Amino acid sequence: MTLLLLSGCGSISSTVGDFPSEPAPTKIANPADGYRLEPGNRVRVIVFNEANLSGDFTVDPAGNIAMPLVGNIAASGVTAKVLSTRIEDALKRDNYMQVPNVAVEVQTFRPYYVLGEVRQPGEFPYTTGMTVLSAVARAGGYDYRARQGEVVLVRPVDDGQKEYRATERTPLLPGDIVKVLERRF
């Protein structure tokens, strides 16, 4: 009986869950660069010298935006740069403009998630410049059981997800998952 009690004492100061060995990237590019649009994202389309064609649009559930004159343009799964080229091509193809100049800005990104030992875990809207610490703060701060200072960061990649060891200063990208692990006393 005593042996069982003592064997449990060895894990008192350990952490529940393991940290990945690879550290998270500390520098990230502009989140809009390379960001692939998906249904629900809002974009601002600017057709230079054509205020009637410019405006804010939402990618619909079918993955399109509905532009004046040219109708639906496929937007899901492509970057803002590709979408601007598609809009230019549609304006040329339908002879509405000879040399259109279009810019697309991403207005809303996919949300990020905070799980584990925080006061209010959940889904939160992403804003540019976020860090792990600002995400934890948005989730109500660390719970009393939380291991503070380091988290597991799960980042979407082309073929699935990748886990990193992250600090509070690690920058976030849209769709990231922050897992705050539990510590034992």
Side-chain angles (χ1 to χ4, degrees):
M1 184 75 147
T2 308
L3 184 61
L4 288 174
L5 268 172
L6 291 175
S7 68
C9 291
S11 64
I12 287 178
S13 63
S14 67
T15 300
V16 174
D18 292 326
F19 283 107
S21 58
E22 186 176 351
T26 56
K27 302 267 190 230
I28 58 169
N30 180 356
D33 294 342
Y35 180 78
R36 297 199 180 277
L37 296 168
E38 58 189 30
N41 287 141
R42 288 191 54 79
V43 293
R44 175 167 292 140
V45 176
I46 301 161
V47 181
F48 293 96
N49 298 322
E50 295 294 333
N52 293 336
L53 296 176
S54 301
D56 291 346
F57 301 91
T58 301
V59 180
D60 68 20
N64 301 313
I65 61 168
M67 292 279 305
L69 298 179
V70 293
N72 286 338
I73 307 272
S76 186
V78 300
T79 64
K81 187 169 181 71
V82 170
L83 180 58
S84 66
T85 302
R86 286 183 178 179
I87 295 168
E88 287 174 354
D89 291 345
L91 290 168
K92 281 187 231 173
R93 181 182 61 243
D94 295 336
N95 293 321
Y96 291 115
M97 298 179 77
Q98 291 179 355
V99 185
N101 192 359
V102 177
V104 175
E105 300 171 354
V106 180
Q107 298 294 302
T108 61
F109 296 93
R110 80 179 58 89
Y112 67 92
Y113 305 87
V114 182
L115 308 173
E117 300 304 319
V118 292
R119 293 176 194 213
Q120 299 169 341
E123 174 184 292
F124 302 93
Y126 177 84
T127 54
T128 305
M130 298 209 61
T131 64
V132 166
L133 184 60
S134 58
V136 169
R138 178 67 77 73
Y142 291 112
D143 190 320
Y144 69 93
R145 295 180 303 241
R147 176 165 179 178
Q148 298 182 22
E150 285 189 309
V151 300
V152 175
L153 178 67
V154 181
R155 180 157 288 161
V157 292
D158 291 336
D159 56 347
Q161 297 179 333
K162 184 164 180 149
E163 289 190 351
Y164 298 99
R165 180 182 211 122
T167 68
E168 292 177 334
R169 292 184 152 186
T170 301
L172 291 185
L173 288 174
D176 279 354
I177 300 168
V178 176
K179 290 182 184 178
V180 179
L181 299 181
E182 179 183 353
R183 66 178 168 88
R184 296 212 188 246
F185 299 96

